[in-house]
Amino acid sequence: METIFYKSIGKEQEIFEHAYKNKLPLLLKGPTGTGKSRFVEFMAQKMGKKLYTITCHEETSSTDLIGRYILKGAETVWIDGPMTRAVKEGAFLYLDEIAEARPDIIVALHSLTDHRRSLYIDKTGETITADENFMLVATYNPGYQRGFKELKPSTRQRFISLSFNYPKKEIESEILIKETGIDNETANKLVKLGAKIRNLTELGLAETVSTRLLVDAALLIKSGLPQRLSCDVAIAEPLSDDEDTTNAIKDLISLSL
Ligand code: ADP
């Protein structure tokens, strides 16, 4: 199996290991594309754990996560959902974008995130105590503009929390080089461009350029697409649908490359 690449930004590996040891659920906060999912995949591999990932959205119900009865011939049989499997098997359960989850899922999480460490399955009437190796990790993006879902303080306080943000220049360059095989000079140019866009608060972007977008631009450049075009389609266009805004970013791109 290929080793997952993850470049540490701070003490996140230590914090994760201590959270695991103390059976504390962990919340990763921060903007999209800052390495949260990569970090969890890396830690699962490093610690030799199976990882169940669920991207929460408004349609995800507790039935999808906990399990359901299905018809098999003339019989109905119970099928565990990914959350129940993770709890029983002592795996890592990663709930991406937890604020998007339906209230019934948040309710199901309550007993799992306190001293009980148990999951109640209302459809079967069973209560399952989590295997001692089970760990819950969730992500939350607090930067969203008004209208997006907030995480309730009562849910938030069930987790220890770790903030993710855009990495320092040298670290971000290293990530681009390792991820895409791009040369040093181009990586540095992309990172500088990223920093400039992040400083342009007057653009009023809901979210600014992430490491993910810089990686995408680097991949396109590495595969032979011209630099400016790569940045236009990987950076300027994904950041906004407003023509004036994308044009302003495109101007910055042509000045920077
Ligand atoms: P998030 O889960 O925060 O939205 P991801 O973990 O999906 O972000 O990261 C997006 C991409 O950015 C990854 O696929 C990877 O290429 C790159 N990346 C960001 N931060 C790191 C890091 N610290 N180490 C390695 N790759 C990173």
Side-chain angles (χ1 to χ4, degrees):
M1 192 171 48
E2 220 179 300
T3 317
I4 294 169
F5 164 65
Y6 175 74
K7 172 80 188 162
S8 271
I9 313 276
K11 297 237 178 283
E12 65 271 37
Q13 291 193 39
E14 255 174 284
I15 293 168
F16 190 107
E17 282 164 352
H18 282 276
Y20 171 71
K21 213 165 73 182
N22 290 287
K23 299 188 168 50
L24 293 169
L26 179 65
L27 182 67
L28 311 178
K29 299 191 287 182
T32 183
T34 46
K36 298 184 293 300
S37 302
R38 179 64 66 90
F39 171 58
V40 177
E41 286 158 15
F42 169 81
M43 291 307 292
Q45 187 182 62
K46 181 181 172 193
M47 296 167 77
K49 303 287 178 193
K50 183 162 181 184
L51 177 66
Y52 287 94
T53 297
I54 294 151
T55 304
C56 303
H57 54 85
E58 54 200 27
E59 298 297 321
T60 320
S61 69
S62 62
T63 305
D64 298 325
L65 261 59
I66 293 173
R68 53 165 50 93
Y69 281 109
I70 60 158
L71 264 180
K72 217 173 187 182
E75 279 177 87
T76 48
V77 286
W78 173 259
I79 305 282
D80 284 339
M83 185 186 238
T84 310
R85 287 204 295 274
V87 166
K88 284 183 179 171
E89 294 168 13
F92 288 173
L93 176 66
Y94 176 45
L95 299 180
D96 200 8
E97 306 280 359
I98 192 177
E100 301 293 323
R102 284 197 184 182
D104 58 341
I105 293 177
I106 305 284
V107 169
L109 282 178
H110 274 197
S111 59
L112 206 51
T113 47
D114 59 29
H115 64 280
R116 292 172 282 176
R117 280 180 48 98
S118 63
L119 180 66
Y120 174 63
I121 307 183
D122 59 351
K123 293 206 176 74
T124 63
E126 262 180 298
T127 300
I128 300 165
T129 304
D131 180 277
E132 63 169 358
N133 294 310
F134 170 76
M135 180 171 178
L136 175 66
V137 186
T139 68
Y140 169 55
N141 186 343
Y144 273 156
Q145 286 186 323
R146 239 153 34 107
F148 284 85
K149 286 182 188 151
E150 289 268 346
L151 199 57
K152 279 201 205 143
S154 57
T155 307
R156 209 194 276 235
Q157 291 198 16
R158 294 177 168 273
F159 293 84
I160 60 162
S161 297
L162 185 55
S163 278
F164 275 65
N165 220 319
Y166 309 115
K168 285 206 192 92
K169 282 191 181 148
E170 311 76 62
I171 292 183
E172 197 162 46
S173 278
E174 194 183 326
I175 293 171
L176 296 191
I177 293 166
K178 286 246 173 65
E179 278 287 282
T180 70
I182 204 166
D183 63 89
N184 216 343
E185 193 195 339
T186 316
N188 287 339
K189 266 201 253 176
L190 286 173
V191 167
K192 271 198 192 140
L193 169 67
K196 271 191 206 154
I197 298 174
R198 285 170 197 156
N199 280 332
L200 280 183
T201 44
E202 60 269 33
L203 287 178
L205 299 169
E207 280 216 5
T208 187
V209 57
S210 65
T211 307
R212 175 190 288 129
L213 294 189
L214 297 181
V215 167
D216 292 347
L219 281 172
L220 296 178
I221 293 170
K222 177 74 184 166
S223 84
L225 200 67
Q227 290 197 1
R228 261 180 65 179
L229 186 57
S230 299
C231 291
D232 284 355
V233 296
I235 298 171
E237 295 290 351
L239 282 180
S240 175
D241 297 323
D242 174 72
E243 214 180 314
D244 290 341
T245 310
T246 47
N247 283 340
I249 301 169
K250 285 177 185 173
D251 287 346
L252 197 65
I253 289 170
S254 61
L255 280 172
S256 303
L257 297 175

